[in-house]
Amino acid sequence: MTSLPEGYSYGPWHEGPDPLAPPADLRDALDEIGKDVLGGSSPRSALEELLRRGTRNTAGLDELTRRVWQRRAEIQRQHRLDGTLQEVRQLLDEALEAERAALFPDPSDDARFSEAMLDALPAGTAASVRELAEYEWRSEQGRENYQKIQELLGQELLDARFEGMKDALRNAGPEDVERINQMLADLNALLNAHAQGFSDIDERFAEFMRRHGEYFPENPRTVDELIDVLAARAAAAQRMLNSMSPEQRAELAELSQQAFGDPRLAQQLSTLDEQLRGLRPGEDWSSSGRFRGDDPLGLGAGARAMSDLAELDALAEQLAQSYPGARLEDIDLESLERQLGADAGVDAKRLAELDRELRAQGLFERAPDGSLRLSPKALRRLGETALADVINSLRGKTGQRATESAGSAGEPTGATRPWLFGDTQPWEVSRTVRNAVLRTASGGSGGRVRLDVSDVEVVETEHRSRAAVALCVDTSWSMVQEGRWLPMKRTALALHQLISTRFRNDALQLITFGRHAMPVELDELVGLEGTWEQGTNAHHALLLAGRHLRRHPDAQPVVLLVTDGEPTAHLESDGSAEFSYPPQPRTIQRTLAEVDRLAKLGAAVTVFRLGDEERLTAFVDLIARRSGGRVVAPDLDGLGAAVVGDYLRRRK
């Protein structure tokens, strides 16, 4: 047998899931989902709401979306798009000022003629640059500035369509400009061949990348990938132009002819844009944005800003998850981190993991109608949480605590009997000591008393091993309207969890009553949505409770009624429900008659009153007197503890 090596080895982390990241907290997430479901939301909408809201340690989709729109607003609020025009105008003004300074000392007619030419320049920047194309500069600074204008225009035009081109073309010479023109000519030829469906397009693409790949840091692998990259960039440049005023667009169009002092560049770019429009008509070529900031952007930076806006718009759509088939895996994490930082990417990953784990852990299942519902596993977890809250509340109010033998002891009969092997009843201490004293006194032990197992007597109890429990909960609209819907459901969850785990022999029936009453399973009650319906049919609910008790004649009967209104409906012999407000005497009579039938079965009805209306108070007091039960008026936070506590008290 080969022994395992001792110790551990550590190495660098090469992407993938973070091994040190905390696991998704499914219990907290399920509790949040449970609150929404208990409040009337569907499980699907509750899951979606959790992802939108996020958790304690993870920003939700709504927060990420807010930050996306904030980032978008910042771009438009901080910048404007006339940076290139402004920079050209500044260079031109400096050139003209330096030229006039160089001409002023010269008394010759040539100097006066040159000054006249400068004075006659058009007001527009583009027109002035065009007029000076053949001008012979006297000033070295003027000549350099004019050359800078031509270089700047070429760099900006190319940077608007090719990533990083501006930096690559700093201090570009005539050879560099010629190479760019050749690349553009080859690129247009490649795209034209692709549009015409040439069979050797892959070979043409490979040759193009071999010759000009340095201009494409994205490293496209196919001609279609190349077109996608170029079209996205060109569309951003077009949207930037759309965002300018007509005068600014006209200025740039005229200035582009002076790029690098070679009109071929503008012509090649125009042809490229036209081809890309035809190859990718689905790109956004027509929209625009409103920029109102103080920071001027050049053409390249402006195109990047428009690309950022498009990327942010796409992220907003992905985060909204409102399109058919949307998944959290659709979110472009690289784009999200690029726009909002690494923390945003981590939050999105955690949300996707939480969504995936909630589904993978079997907490949801498909109902027969195709809808999503909480699984029995999820209901058990919600029940555990609800019961734990109730137990904590009971501890705080009464000093009670949970024990493993809860319910195992019965009520004392007043009699005792000798202890037998296996008995768990409490000792009757006084009789046990008395027996020991009598035994030792007759045995002559010299006054020393010693206990023997034969001395022990235990308290005799009687214990009914089973209980039949009917929990009747009011589901009329007032329960929703007054905020009693969620506490009612959490109470049912807690009682169901207690009985299903600690008192499994007990028979619990959940009964809802509005205009009509009906027995429901736990998942039906949990997923029940509040609906506008007039009527509080306690008569029908108590009738169903009686049927449940009669099916378990050997069990101790327990009837618990939770309501916030007096009975305003009763069941007729034909099964229809008759509603009347204020209640008719016939409704009161039928309800009390059902209370009397329950009393004959030995069931004392405990009513949990959730309202303070005078007629409601009088009626529930009447129910308690007629059945030998009682009325409890808990606050909403204490409803669960009141119901569970009464069940435990009644079960003994």
Side-chain angles (χ1 to χ4, degrees):
M1 181 175 179
T2 304
S3 61
L4 295 175
E6 296 182 358
Y8 302 90
S9 61
Y10 297 88
W13 176 50
H14 299 291
E15 299 302 327
D18 185 354
L20 301 180
D25 193 343
L26 297 186
R27 183 171 291 277
D28 282 353
L30 182 61
D31 287 344
E32 292 297 319
I33 291 173
K35 289 179 184 178
D36 290 338
V37 172
L38 292 173
S41 299
S42 69
R44 179 182 294 279
S45 62
L47 174 59
E48 292 173 351
E49 178 61 25
L50 172 69
L51 297 175
R52 304 224 66 81
R53 190 170 56 235
T55 64
R56 286 179 297 177
N57 301 318
T58 305
L61 296 176
D62 282 345
E63 171 60 18
L64 293 176
T65 301
R66 184 194 67 79
R67 290 164 59 186
V68 162
W69 288 113
Q70 182 181 32
R71 168 68 176 149
R72 194 183 195 285
E74 286 175 357
I75 292 175
Q76 292 184 296
R77 188 171 57 248
Q78 293 175 359
H79 304 295
R80 64 176 192 263
L81 300 178
D82 61 348
T84 298
L85 291 175
Q86 183 176 335
E87 191 171 356
V88 169
R89 183 74 249 182
Q90 182 177 352
L91 287 171
L92 180 61
D93 288 343
E94 291 175 357
L96 294 177
E97 182 179 356
E99 184 66 11
R100 286 191 174 95
L103 291 172
F104 180 75
D106 187 353
S108 67
D109 293 339
D110 290 340
R112 303 290 80 76
F113 180 75
S114 295
E115 287 177 339
M117 283 186 60
L118 298 181
D119 292 339
L121 287 174
T125 303
S128 296
V129 172
R130 184 187 66 245
E131 290 289 329
L132 292 170
E134 303 298 330
Y135 180 79
E136 293 185 5
W137 295 88
R138 298 272 190 99
S139 164
E140 186 63 28
Q141 182 181 355
R143 184 181 302 103
E144 289 179 359
N145 275 25
Y146 190 79
Q147 187 176 356
K148 286 181 181 179
I149 290 174
Q150 293 179 322
E151 292 174 355
L152 173 67
L153 291 170
Q155 293 167 359
E156 291 287 358
L157 286 172
L158 289 169
D159 197 38
R161 292 165 177 82
F162 300 92
E163 182 68 32
M165 188 68 81
K166 183 175 182 179
D167 293 333
L169 290 178
R170 292 195 185 278
N171 303 317
E175 300 83 2
D176 298 311
V177 174
E178 189 58 38
R179 289 179 59 204
I180 290 292
N181 277 316
Q182 186 59 54
M183 182 273 290
L184 291 173
D186 292 345
L187 177 58
N188 282 321
L190 176 66
L191 298 186
N192 184 55
H194 176 72
Q196 295 184 38
F198 282 21
S199 59
D200 62 342
I201 193 64
D202 290 338
E203 290 79 4
R204 290 172 179 254
F205 170 74
E207 176 61 20
F208 175 81
M209 291 300 295
R210 186 187 66 78
R211 297 181 61 188
H212 307 296
E214 61 184 296
Y215 297 114
F216 302 93
E218 303 88 354
N219 194 27
R221 293 169 296 180
T222 65
V223 67
D224 284 310
E225 288 186 10
L226 175 64
I227 293 171
D228 289 340
V229 169
L230 293 174
R233 188 78 173 179
Q238 183 59 53
R239 294 194 300 273
M240 178 194 61
L241 292 175
N242 299 341
S243 305
M244 295 180 174
S245 66
E247 295 77 14
Q248 290 173 331
R249 286 197 295 272
E251 285 272 301
L252 280 174
E254 191 170 353
L255 281 171
S256 65
Q257 300 299 318
Q258 301 298 321
F260 292 129
D262 188 343
R264 290 180 300 166
L265 179 67
Q267 295 168 4
Q268 294 281 12
L269 290 176
S270 177
T271 302
L272 176 62
D273 289 346
E274 185 178 350
Q275 291 202 84
L276 291 172
R277 277 177 179 268
L279 291 169
R280 293 294 183 269
E283 288 285 347
D284 182 6
W285 300 91
S286 58
S287 67
S288 60
R290 183 184 176 190
F291 290 78
R292 53 191 183 277
D294 297 326
D295 180 26
L297 297 179
L299 297 182
R304 282 190 290 276
M306 299 306 297
S307 294
D308 286 341
L309 293 181
E311 191 169 64
L312 289 166
D313 289 341
L315 284 172
E317 182 179 9
Q318 295 162 13
L319 292 169
Q321 295 281 289
S322 57
Y323 50 90
R327 302 180 307 160
L328 291 183
E329 286 78 5
D330 298 341
I331 299 174
D332 188 337
L333 296 180
E334 291 184 2
S335 296
L336 190 65
E337 292 179 0
R338 184 164 50 248
Q339 295 296 338
L340 301 184
D343 289 346
V346 171
D347 288 336
K349 288 179 184 177
R350 285 179 178 169
L351 290 176
E353 179 188 357
L354 181 62
D355 181 34
R356 186 167 54 251
E357 287 299 315
L358 283 170
R359 297 176 188 273
Q361 291 292 328
L363 300 178
F364 298 94
E365 63 182 17
R366 291 287 178 186
D369 61 359
S371 62
L372 203 64
R373 69 183 181 189
L374 295 178
S375 68
K377 181 178 180 180
L379 291 174
R380 285 195 299 272
R381 289 195 181 181
L382 292 178
E384 290 170 3
T385 302
L387 181 58
D389 291 342
V390 166
I391 295 299
N392 289 334
S393 180
L394 287 172
R395 286 174 179 170
K397 292 182 179 179
T398 66
Q400 297 181 14
R401 60 185 179 87
T403 65
E404 293 300 324
S405 60
S408 63
E411 291 292 335
T413 64
T416 64
R417 60 175 176 80
W419 177 85
L420 299 175
F421 179 77
D423 282 342
T424 60
Q425 286 85 352
W427 288 12
E428 212 318 317
V429 177
S430 60
R431 292 189 64 88
T432 298
V433 174
R434 175 178 174 274
N435 292 339
V437 170
L438 292 175
R439 179 179 53 78
T440 54
S442 62
S445 60
R448 296 177 63 187
V449 178
R450 288 190 175 186
L451 286 178
D452 186 79
V453 69
S454 61
D455 302 325
V456 178
E457 291 195 23
V458 295
V459 177
E460 193 173 60
T461 62
E462 60 179 2
H463 173 62
R464 303 184 74 171
S465 60
R466 298 182 66 238
V469 186
L471 176 61
C472 307
V473 292
D474 188 346
T475 55
S476 60
W477 179 250
S478 60
M479 291 284 286
V480 179
Q481 194 172 27
E482 299 299 327
R484 298 158 181 160
W485 197 252
L486 178 59
M488 175 269 290
K489 289 187 177 182
R490 287 183 61 83
T491 297
L493 265 171
L495 184 61
H496 184 279
Q497 179 69 16
L498 177 64
I499 291 176
S500 62
T501 58
R502 304 284 290 279
F503 302 102
R504 296 180 181 177
N505 289 331
D506 288 3
L508 172 64
Q509 177 73 77
L510 301 175
I511 299 171
T512 62
F513 63 97
R515 175 69 70 93
H516 289 86
M518 66 179 67
V520 296
E521 297 298 327
L522 181 64
D523 62 326
E524 296 177 278
L525 178 59
V526 168
L528 186 66
E529 298 183 16
T531 56
W532 168 252
E533 184 181 49
Q534 288 182 313
T536 303
N537 199 336
H539 165 245
H540 194 186
L542 295 173
L543 187 150
L544 293 178
R547 289 181 183 176
H548 175 62
L549 299 185
R550 292 184 186 95
R551 286 196 292 268
H552 304 277
D554 61 330
Q556 179 179 347
V558 178
V559 178
L560 311 170
L561 182 73
V562 179
T563 185
D564 70 345
E566 57 187 321
T568 56
H570 66 270
L571 202 65
E572 292 289 350
S573 57
D574 62 356
S576 62
E578 183 174 335
F579 167 77
S580 176
Y581 184 83
Q584 298 178 359
R586 181 176 174 81
T587 299
I588 302 296
Q589 293 169 3
R590 290 222 168 183
T591 305
L592 292 176
E594 207 57 49
V595 172
D596 294 340
R597 292 190 183 94
L598 291 173
K600 291 179 181 179
L601 296 175
V605 180
T606 300
V607 183
F608 299 89
R609 175 172 56 82
L610 300 182
D612 296 323
E613 296 179 2
E614 183 177 347
R615 285 189 301 191
L616 169 63
T617 301
F619 181 75
V620 297
D621 287 344
L622 184 58
I623 290 179
R625 288 198 302 271
R626 294 281 284 261
S627 68
R630 65 180 188 142
V631 176
V632 181
D635 56 30
L636 291 181
D637 291 337
L639 176 61
V643 170
V644 169
D646 190 79
Y647 159 73
L648 293 173
R649 183 185 66 83
R650 296 270 303 280
R651 192 185 184 282
K652 293 181 180 179

